[in-house]
Amino acid sequence: MLYVSPRQAATRRRRPIALSLAAIFSLAAPCAHAEESAAATLPELSITASKPVIPPNLPNTVEGITAKQIGESINSVSSAGALQYLPGIHVRERFIGDVNGGLAMRMYGVNSSAETIVYADGLLLSNFLTNSCCPGPRWGMVSQEAIDRVDVMYGPFSALYPGNSVGGVVLMTTHMPTRFEAHAKLDAFGENFKLYGTDKNFTGVHGAATGGNKLGDWSFSLSVDHLDNHSHPTDFTPATAKAGALLGQYTVVTGAHFDNDIAGNPRVTTAAISMDHTVKDDGVVKLAYAFSPTLRAIYTLDIWQNKSDKLVESYLRDAAGNTIYGTNSATNPYRYVRINGTDYTVTAPSVSHADSEYHMHGLSVKSDSGGTWDWEINASTFNQNKDVTRASSGNFGTTSSTDATAGTITFADGTGWRNLDLRGDWRPDGNLKSQHQISFGFHADTYKTKTDQYTLAAGNWRVSDAGALNTNSRGTTSTRAIYVQDAWQISPDLKLVVGGRQEKWDAANGSNYAAGVNVSYRDTSVSAFSPKASLAYQASSEWAVRGSYGKGTRFPTVGELFKNVGITHVGGGAATLAEIAGFPAPYNTALTNNPNLKPEAADSWEFTTERFLENGVWRTSLFGEDRKDALVSQSDISTLPGYSISSVQNIDKVRSYGIETALQASDLGLRGLDLSGSVAYIHSRIAKDKANPGLEGTELPLIPIWRAALVGIYRASGDLSYSLGWRFSGRQHSGLFNTATQAYPDPNPNVYGGRSSFSVFDAKVLYKIAKNWSASVGIDNIGDARYFTLYPYSQRTFFASVKLDY
């Protein structure tokens, strides 16, 4: 069944659905079309027709999925996995428990984490300390079992959200009991992963429990989530052929694997690395108090712990069968390894151990009278109370990397953010049917980064104390904003939503240290205004149209401002220290970066039509944007003749547009059969780039031209359901166009290191064993496709689950 609002279900269509419409879709996602409040829990209704409701403060296209649909169609056990069939959405979840799950939405790729927003019950999960997949949103702080529903808003068309919404906003709503209830689930899963010299089974277990009650004016819920998983390797070590004559001592080895890299060049692979053994625990306590029937406060405490051991496997063996880990230019007989008659140097793979504990606090106080005035307060803090990573330096010869004596230790304790939102709603007519519904508010946030890396003192890398400081990074950003938005019901069929957001952004206390040099950066401040407008017209009981415009101003992150970058020769090769010393300031240190970045501003638009069918909705959206001063990592060849500076820079203009069509239908030709899906085409080009004019007219990386998904759920009975899903992503480039070679860097993309196109099928069977018990089995990547997002994704993975609901 489709999940729709009661007002959508109020108007019923008389003509039957034309089944032939389904044939034109290869479409996506168990998407409940949610154009009511994204936080609302909507009743399950089978619609025979529907009338759209454009909410007063949500002039965006919205798609969503409910807990019931997640249970019927999703095998993944993470909160990120719940999004995998939603239109225009992709999460780079390379393995179960991946903390670097970058979110891609429509015109933004998986490395654009600062151009999308993820909230859970109003608490920010997105990490705006950087603009990258690594780390992505803090998905692990929400258990999938605690989710009531997930809603996705596309584009920066609402003044209620900051400029990071240029890609879209994900709103997760978790469950708050109204009576005593308890739920528990146990999952087991595994894959057989084959690539290069690795052919192993990788398995894991997951357990989750939620429960709570309502006692008078008090209510509470408790959610706990535990994951223990061994992942396949995500990285591999290459060997480098020695140039010139064969000189020096070497060891003859076997076991290396040969293929071509993304550029088509021959490659020799000698080891698998980053096999991540992840042990994660998350606990969430929510406590609510109802001051009155229309006023409630909710306090949330979330504690997330994660231990990660990244292991390695060398493929190289000497004549006696000993494992060889690497080479050392000063040590015989391991100055080189000889593979098929050619001498190579091999960097020994490094192992690491990470130990993290993150705390999140949130307080929400909200009135919901539906009368003349309502108001809301949301405040939250996120702090990395403990974040320590130890890494070995690797080893050479027959000495394992786990036995290394040297290494580094990195502390990121104290990194985090704070958010405050104050909002009021005014309805002059005193009710929800007021001709004007005006929202206004204040927003404040602060993001702080604090990272230090030290060389480990002599001894064992697992327990040695920190020695000399290698590098560190400091900096904060903060934003203050006010906004207002009016939803004006001009007539019963016509609604206009207009608004604006005024923001002031500051960056302060930025500094870097490396190689004995400390560089501090000047504080900076920028103000920006972002107007919004949307006009919706209900043409008939069957058709609705909406046009929207919004400017989204996305400010630079701490990572983009203060990250160390390198200087290279335009023809290739790193600049020497002597060359760097001769550069003008600030390029005369090894700590060159770009602390003077300007915010990027996207003028975004969307035109949407909706066709309301007997048992479904068919939506088509045409959308686009002109992004000025786009923040993109590139090489600047205009500053220093003969040299290029690789960093995040402002590209003058990027122009993107696309079209997306999505269908949802229930009882499609067969009672109990629901089908949801979408297909999208994206065109994104650099329109103007003064720093590197040769890039004008070329594609932005990490944005697939085509993206599609389709899922069908068949409920054979009230106790048994089957689902079959399909996910597709088309061609995308790994990097920017190479102006020297006049080619993109990845003519061979479907290999390790590339960004693959992929076509993946998933299946799940859910059965209710008894009144309170259910079980499921499923397979992701049925065809065992090998596909990559630089790193390999999971191959064929089996799932089995049992669940208790009381």
Side-chain angles (χ1 to χ4, degrees):
M1 291 185 179
L2 294 174
Y3 287 70
V4 298
S5 71
R7 292 173 67 184
Q8 282 180 310
T11 303
R12 302 189 176 266
R13 241 188 117 233
R14 294 182 176 85
R15 292 193 291 270
I17 184 173
L19 295 180
S20 60
L21 283 173
I24 68 172
F25 292 96
S26 353
L27 307 174
C31 306
H33 185 78
E35 288 202 325
E36 288 285 357
S37 169
T41 303
L42 303 180
E44 180 181 355
L45 297 172
S46 178
I47 63 172
T48 55
S50 37
K51 181 178 181 180
V53 177
I54 306 299
N57 295 306
L58 204 59
N60 307 63
T61 294
V62 182
E63 300 280 358
I65 182 171
T66 65
K68 184 174 187 293
Q69 293 167 315
I70 293 170
E72 291 173 330
S73 62
I74 304 295
N75 290 312
S76 170
V77 300
S78 70
S79 59
L83 281 71
Q84 67 184 18
Y85 298 121
L86 288 166
I89 301 289
H90 174 68
V91 178
R92 193 198 76 148
E93 193 175 28
R94 300 165 299 170
F95 57 88
I96 298 169
D98 189 357
V99 297
N100 294 322
L103 171 64
M105 292 183 68
R106 280 191 175 171
M107 298 175 288
Y108 290 86
V110 294
N111 279 2
S112 298
S113 60
E115 278 111 354
T116 58
I117 310 178
V118 181
Y119 293 106
D121 298 323
L123 305 182
L124 182 70
L125 300 186
S126 291
N127 183 350
F128 294 150
L129 297 167
T130 185
N131 186 39
S132 171
C133 62
C134 312
R138 300 300 186 182
W139 303 107
M141 302 194 80
V142 176
S143 170
Q144 187 187 104
E145 295 307 304
I147 293 174
D148 259 350
R149 63 177 298 115
V150 180
D151 293 283
V152 176
M153 305 190 313
Y154 299 89
F157 305 120
S158 174
L160 278 59
Y161 295 96
N164 303 88
S165 64
V166 287
V169 181
V170 175
L171 302 170
M172 295 186 181
T173 305
T174 63
H175 188 62
M176 179 60 82
T178 58
R179 57 176 180 80
F180 174 76
E181 57 183 82
H183 312 272
K185 186 184 180 189
L186 179 65
D187 305 283
F189 36 83
E191 65 167 326
N192 178 249
F193 183 88
K194 297 180 181 180
L195 188 63
Y196 299 126
T198 301
D199 184 355
K200 290 185 176 181
N201 293 318
F202 295 91
T203 61
V205 294
H206 169 257
T210 61
N213 201 357
K214 187 176 188 301
L215 302 170
D217 294 329
W218 292 91
S219 55
F220 69 92
S221 71
L222 174 66
S223 172
V224 292
D225 193 280
H226 174 78
L227 172 71
D228 189 331
N229 184 44
H230 294 79
S231 86
H232 61 259
T234 58
D235 287 282
F236 298 87
T237 299
T240 303
K242 181 185 179 299
L246 302 180
L247 300 174
Q249 296 286 326
Y250 60 84
T251 297
V252 176
V253 296
T254 58
H257 290 260
F258 298 82
D259 70 347
N260 294 326
D261 63 19
I262 64 172
N265 300 316
R267 176 171 59 186
V268 180
T269 298
T270 61
I273 60 178
S274 297
M275 291 181 285
D276 197 341
H277 178 202
T278 299
V279 179
K280 177 186 76 72
D281 290 286
D282 181 51
V284 182
V285 177
K286 292 171 62 179
L287 184 64
Y289 180 72
F291 296 95
S292 71
T294 62
L295 179 63
R296 186 170 74 158
I298 301 177
Y299 167 72
T300 302
L301 170 63
D302 192 329
I303 299 177
W304 179 88
Q305 296 177 320
N306 190 71
K307 294 183 186 297
S308 169
D309 287 284
K310 293 189 176 180
L311 309 176
V312 303
E313 177 189 19
S314 176
Y315 301 145
L316 301 181
R317 303 290 185 272
D318 65 12
N322 300 310
T323 301
I324 305 300
Y325 288 90
T327 57
N328 186 313
S329 61
T331 304
N332 291 326
Y334 300 114
R335 291 191 176 185
Y336 306 100
V337 291
R338 180 163 289 184
I339 304 171
N340 292 352
T342 301
D343 285 2
Y344 293 85
T345 59
V346 177
T347 300
S350 171
V351 296
S352 66
H353 173 76
D355 193 354
S356 305
E357 182 175 306
Y358 301 159
H359 294 180
M360 179 177 284
H361 299 267
L363 177 64
S364 173
V365 184
K366 182 178 181 180
S367 73
D368 191 14
S369 68
T372 304
W373 290 98
D374 275 313
W375 55 274
E376 183 175 357
I377 300 173
N378 279 295
S380 64
T381 66
F382 172 89
N383 186 48
Q384 296 177 190
N385 291 56
K386 182 180 181 181
D387 197 316
V388 183
T389 302
R390 290 177 172 267
S392 79
S393 59
N395 241 315
F396 63 92
T398 59
T399 305
S400 169
S401 298
T402 57
D403 297 326
T405 58
T408 61
I409 185 169
T410 303
F411 298 93
D413 306 2
T415 296
W417 58 79
R418 300 190 303 269
N419 279 268
L420 173 66
D421 282 282
L422 310 176
R423 177 180 152 192
D425 292 297
W426 178 44
R427 308 176 186 95
D429 296 339
N431 56 60
L432 292 174
K433 296 181 179 180
S434 178
Q435 187 178 21
H436 290 272
Q437 301 199 34
I438 300 172
S439 296
F440 54 92
F442 170 79
H443 169 84
D445 62 53
T446 299
Y447 299 90
K448 176 184 178 182
T449 189
K450 181 177 179 290
T451 306
D452 300 274
Q453 186 186 84
Y454 297 86
T455 299
L456 287 169
N460 187 310
W461 69 274
R462 291 184 180 275
V463 296
S464 296
D465 294 331
L469 178 66
N470 285 339
T471 63
N472 73 14
S473 180
R474 298 286 189 275
T476 62
T477 62
S478 59
T479 308
R480 304 293 182 268
I482 56 174
Y483 61 85
V484 64
Q485 186 163 281
D486 180 22
W488 177 19
Q489 190 74 53
I490 300 172
S491 71
D493 298 323
L494 189 64
K495 177 171 284 187
L496 175 66
V497 180
V498 293
R501 190 178 184 94
Q502 178 67 45
E503 295 169 297
K504 183 178 183 295
W505 169 86
D506 301 283
N509 306 316
S511 68
N512 293 124
Y513 173 88
V517 179
N518 190 80
V519 177
S520 296
Y521 306 104
R522 67 178 179 85
D523 297 349
T524 186
S525 179
V526 177
S527 296
F529 177 71
S530 301
K532 321 279 184 176
S534 177
L535 184 64
Y537 177 56
Q538 178 70 44
S540 68
S541 62
E542 300 173 352
W543 287 96
V545 296
R546 180 177 62 251
S548 299
Y549 163 81
K551 181 177 181 179
T553 304
R554 203 276 286 182
F555 298 100
T557 65
V558 173
E560 290 171 313
L561 291 166
F562 307 129
K563 180 182 178 181
N564 298 342
V565 297
I567 300 175
T568 60
H569 298 274
V570 170
T576 67
L577 291 176
E579 290 171 323
I580 292 173
F583 291 157
Y587 306 115
N588 52 10
T589 76
L591 294 172
T592 305
N593 67 5
N594 195 346
N596 302 311
L597 291 172
K598 296 179 287 186
E600 59 181 6
D603 286 299
S604 301
W605 55 270
E606 182 183 66
F607 181 76
T608 293
T609 63
E610 292 172 298
R611 177 74 160 88
F612 300 96
L613 309 170
E614 179 73 20
N615 285 346
V617 180
W618 174 21
R619 173 183 61 80
T620 300
S621 298
L622 181 66
F623 50 85
E625 69 175 21
D626 276 355
R627 189 160 32 127
K628 299 176 182 177
D629 295 318
L631 292 164
V632 177
S633 180
Q634 68 164 350
S635 295
D636 185 346
I637 62 175
S638 66
T639 306
L640 301 171
Y643 298 88
S644 68
I645 302 171
S646 180
S647 66
V648 175
Q649 298 163 29
N650 289 112
I651 289 181
D652 300 270
K653 182 182 288 189
V654 171
R655 178 169 291 132
S656 305
Y657 60 83
I659 186 169
E660 176 182 84
T661 189
L663 173 70
Q664 306 161 58
S666 63
D667 295 333
L668 186 62
L670 179 66
R671 184 171 179 81
L673 176 62
D674 292 357
L675 184 70
S676 304
S678 69
V679 61
Y681 167 80
I682 305 294
H683 180 279
S684 186
R685 297 290 187 272
I686 295 173
K688 187 177 182 181
D689 189 350
K690 292 178 182 177
N692 199 338
L695 292 177
E696 293 178 5
T698 63
E699 297 180 31
L700 279 185
L702 310 185
I703 303 174
I705 298 172
W706 291 95
R707 183 177 283 133
L710 175 69
V711 66
I713 302 173
Y714 174 59
R715 300 178 182 91
S717 69
D719 296 330
L720 178 64
S721 69
Y722 305 88
S723 75
L724 180 64
W726 173 63
R727 295 171 281 139
F728 173 81
S729 181
R731 183 73 163 101
Q732 59 183 301
H733 289 295
S734 299
L736 291 167
F737 186 77
N738 188 325
T739 57
T741 62
Q742 291 295 295
Y744 290 97
D746 54 349
N748 185 35
N750 297 315
V751 296
Y752 165 66
R755 307 279 177 168
S756 304
S757 58
F758 60 82
S759 181
V760 177
F761 291 89
D762 314 313
K764 185 173 185 177
V765 179
L766 175 66
Y767 179 65
K768 188 173 182 179
I769 304 170
K771 179 180 178 181
N772 301 112
W773 292 91
S774 60
S776 67
V777 293
I779 307 175
D780 274 0
N781 191 1
I782 295 172
D784 202 23
R786 294 185 181 181
Y787 62 110
F788 305 86
T789 175
L790 177 62
Y791 315 96
Y793 283 96
S794 296
Q795 296 176 10
R796 184 188 294 120
T797 304
F798 296 89
F799 295 81
S801 303
V802 61
K803 185 177 182 183
L804 169 67
D805 295 290
Y806 182 80

